[in-house]
Amino acid sequence: MTLEEELNGRFRNEYHKGLINLTYTTRQLNYGFLQTLKKHDITEQQYNALRILRGFRSQAPLSIGFIKERMLDRDSDVSRLVDKLYDKGLVSRNENPDDRRQKSVEITEKGLTFLESMGGCKNMEDNMLKCLTEKEVKELNRLLDKIREGQGYPK
Amino acid sequence: MTLEEELNGRFRNEYHKGLINLTYTTRQLNYGFLQTLKKHDITEQQYNALRILRGFRSQAPLSIGFIKERMLDRDSDVSRLVDKLYDKGLVSRNENPDDRRQKSVEITEKGLTFLESMGGCKNMEDNMLKCLTEKEVKELNRLLDKIREGQGYPK
DNA sequence: TATAAATATATGTTACAACATATAATGTTT
DNA sequence: AAACATTATATGTTGTAACATATATTTATA
């Protein structure tokens, strides 16, 4: 069933529909993913932070600010996010002796194992858009890139 | 700058990028909209509920459940949403004499005026994707529809 | 070098999302 | 009609997002 049918065709125009469609579709895609994360007792933001810590572990340890810059959410409360991960033993956290304002955060073995155990999520991520052809995904990415460029947000 | 550049090209494949791109772009679009709502001291969900109450006022009064079914969010806590709108005087709420379990909720004059005062949002909504051509938006909508159909969610 | 400005992180607060459970009214079954 | 199931809404609870503000440390300026 199309969104148009679902919402009784009450759109002013194609652009209006596009906006709602983006919101609605993304929310739906995200819902399934969130359920998986929930089973592993971790929030989306904690997961993102942990992924960053793994992705950049060649540059470890990382500061709170470094992680913050790479989070999808603007102004994520990384300080408390790392707190939660620390409580679970998934990251280590120390004072940075070079700059005692900073923290040195690193993913632990337990954290790496945890991410491994979520391997299913990776497959899930790759499969969520599998109903599109390669060409269609590329077109989707092109359109999304164009939208973001058109917004004129900093960065 | 493309998402690819921003995130250092660390995507496994085009599908993976597509998923992150959807999340990221939608979040960015939504952010500006949320800021506008915030200025008017109303949350996104309250706004959605109020829009539903206006959109279906030919069938007014509406029950909580009727509104709930039409919310974008699954399992929205419409009972308390309406509570907030009621506190602001934007809706009326009465017991439905035909079925005393139900509430009869209606948008008030103040509620209608309030939505009118947010007219700018409407223009904003229509303009957020204005960087795309009509043809591109249609293609975007087609792709999004296809994604949602491919998910196999109920409804 | 004392003072001010900037930076990095932490903490306080409020409202809300998400979940479970409770209550009241209606519908169904025997 | 009594007992049970279902429905509609409300309430309780917990964690967290979003915001502001505070603290500690470093850097810049006079």
Side-chain angles (χ1 to χ4, degrees), chain B residues 35 38 63-65 79-80 101-103:
Chain B
Q35 295 308 105
K38 198 159 289 171
S63 71
I64 301 281
S79 179
R80 267 181 283 216
R101 291 172 305 184
Q102 291 188 37
K103 291 292 156 66

Side-chain angles (χ1 to χ4, degrees), chain A residues 5-20:
Chain A
E5 285 163 351
E6 280 174 13
L7 296 188
N8 278 332
R10 286 173 295 101
F11 294 115
R12 287 188 295 276
N13 52 56
E14 202 74 17
Y15 288 87
H16 183 212
K17 176 183 170 181
L19 192 65
I20 308 291

Side-chain angles (χ1 to χ4, degrees), chain A residues 25-77:
Chain A
T25 304
T26 304
R27 200 165 298 196
Q28 187 171 298
L29 283 175
N30 205 37
Y31 182 78
F33 186 56
L34 284 180
Q35 294 310 104
T36 307
L37 290 177
K38 197 160 290 172
K39 279 181 206 150
H40 291 263
D41 256 314
I42 192 170
T43 69
E44 193 181 8
Q45 299 211 37
Q46 286 168 28
Y47 178 74
N48 285 339
L50 204 53
R51 289 282 298 268
I52 289 165
L53 280 159
R54 183 178 63 177
F56 288 92
R57 70 186 183 288
S58 64
Q59 304 170 48
L62 310 180
S63 72
I64 300 281
F66 183 95
I67 302 166
K68 192 169 183 166
E69 280 170 18
R70 281 153 188 86
M71 294 289 291
L72 289 185
D73 262 325
R74 298 159 176 257
D75 297 325
S76 270
D77 190 353

